[in-house]
Amino acid sequence: MKSKFFFMYTISINERGGLFMKILKLISTLLVFSLLSFSSKAVTLNAIMENVPDTHFIKELLPDFTAKTGHEVEMDIMGYGEMHPKMVPSLTSSTGSIDFMPVDFYWVGEFARAGWMMPLDDMIARDGFDTSVYFDSMMKLVGEVEGTTYMLPFYNYAMGLTYRKDLVADPSHQAGFKAKYGMDLKEPTSWDEYMKQVSYFTKNGTEYGVVNQGSKADPIAMEWSNYLYANGGRFHDENWHGELTSDAAKQALKDYIHNLQDHGPVGAASFSFDEAFNVAAQGQAYSYLTYNWFMPSYEDSSQSAVVGKMALAPVPGNGSLNGAWGWAIPTSSPNAEAAWEFIKWVESPEIVAKRALMGGAPTRSDAFSNPEVLAKYPHYDALNRILASAKNFPVFTYTPQFVEVMGTELSKAVIGEKSIDDALATMNSELEALAKKDGVYKN
């Protein structure tokens, strides 16, 4: 979802202590009450939004919000790489120009530490907004920070396994796979089972068993994280001591290189999302581990030769990586109460269901049990399972910087410029160094 390049402003604070966070929370809460005390007349809300389908779906639905509240909404829609530098001047102003904002999980640590997001707990309690409808994984990623709710989850981009269900159901392949491996051919649930399927379908039913998004930094970093989790690894322990030199991490990188080099197309080490999707969508690859929102594109005959043939599943071994944006109100918002009215409206069950039916990526769990939504998008059943168990990427002030380190080191290992051990050792040491700089590392 993100550009390879990040123009980031970071807040460097040596001491994370509880006192500092309590002071920030108190100041933010006072700002909330002062900004909520204005007149209820209709206003025009301004926001910077990413140029993605969900933004355009919401834009189509805005007349409903205006009819109900009288408020208008103006969206400045732009690419991901433009958003952060455009938002920061408003966020650092005493009275900004942004009324509400979507916050990528990459930015949560920075925005919370800087005090740029209003606490929402008092407004949630006052209006009885039910936050239990969100998956715990979502609330932990783009909802709560150290016990305070700063965001409501907006849309998800959790990753999953997309694979050729028609090949799995083919009797000849079922017989061939059983004869070769002594196990049934089905939707893979273990990592070993999936790796065997990748090998089997290479040059047997498809040209490639898998296609990877190996481009640095974000594509390879996000994709490889699933390999890490699928192998039982993790980035760090509870004290932020790095665990990227573990046997699980080493096996995850071996598996990644093996799949990319031995079972995928030439050039996959430089593929981003679109290039990898095109290979899978043209029926050349059995599987592609990617963002769940590619599923509707597989069903679009104008860009896919595998309509009706692809399925979505959790990454085998419970490796699915979570990803999401959250709705927040800047502490510098000039229209905080109206902004909260917008967030309540856009995250209401009715509007979320409408957005889902348009092809959006909701985060409310009730959208995944909506019969109308499931009838139109059967893969939401699998997505429900993915979001219920998805694992989060390390979220702290320096998440974007760590992604850059990951992308560089993983790419070096893939092309043989660095050994697996050396690449992982650098990732591990850089993670700990950034964690210490952020004050989250504990001895």
Side-chain angles (χ1 to χ4, degrees), residues 366-426:
D366 50 8
F368 297 88
S369 59
N370 184 308
E372 192 177 1
V373 173
L374 284 170
K376 186 171 184 179
Y377 298 111
H379 72 274
Y380 271 28
D381 178 60
L383 183 53
N384 190 5
R385 289 183 284 134
I386 289 172
L387 294 179
S389 61
K391 295 178 173 61
N392 292 340
F393 193 81
V395 175
F396 63 131
T397 303
Y398 300 104
T399 294
Q401 288 85 342
F402 178 57
V403 170
E404 292 290 334
V405 171
M406 273 188 72
T408 298
E409 295 304 312
L410 291 172
S411 293
K412 287 180 178 179
V414 165
I415 65 175
E417 185 178 325
K418 258 191 172 183
S419 70
I420 288 174
D421 286 353
D422 287 347
L424 290 172
T426 299

Side-chain angles (χ1 to χ4, degrees), residues 185-333:
L185 179 60
K186 59 179 179 58
E187 178 183 294
T189 54
S190 74
W191 187 247
D192 177 67
E193 184 181 15
Y194 170 62
M195 291 294 286
K196 284 180 169 62
Q197 291 182 7
V198 166
S199 179
Y200 175 83
F201 283 115
T202 301
K203 304 296 183 182
N204 184 24
T206 58
E207 188 171 356
Y208 311 112
V210 65
V211 60
N212 294 96
Q213 52 185 52
S215 175
K216 65 176 185 181
D218 177 85
I220 191 173
M222 295 298 101
E223 186 180 43
W224 181 79
S225 296
N226 294 274
Y227 279 66
L228 175 67
Y229 290 139
N231 275 278
R234 59 180 182 172
F235 285 92
H236 58 78
D237 65 15
E238 292 74 13
N239 293 319
W240 283 79
H241 297 173
E243 295 194 359
L244 289 173
T245 56
S246 67
D247 290 341
K250 292 175 184 178
Q251 188 61 51
L253 190 44
K254 288 178 184 176
D255 288 347
Y256 189 86
I257 295 171
H258 173 62
N259 276 357
L260 190 148
Q261 294 182 348
D262 298 334
H263 297 297
V266 174
S270 63
F271 284 3
S272 190
F273 320 112
D274 292 340
E275 294 93 338
F277 168 76
N278 288 336
V279 172
Q282 296 312 307
Q284 295 177 284
Y286 162 68
S287 64
Y288 174 31
L289 199 162
T290 189
Y291 298 105
N292 72 85
W293 42 253
F294 271 122
M295 285 302 294
S297 297
Y298 283 129
E299 300 305 309
D300 181 354
S301 60
S302 69
Q303 55 183 321
S304 172
V306 290
V307 174
K309 297 179 178 179
M310 298 298 290
L312 174 70
V315 174
N318 296 316
S320 294
L321 178 70
N322 205 8
W325 290 67
W327 294 112
I329 301 174
T331 51
S332 59
S333 171

Side-chain angles (χ1 to χ4, degrees), residues 33 36 40 72 223 312 349:
F33 285 111
L36 293 183
S40 60
E72 301 281 347
E223 186 180 43
L312 174 70

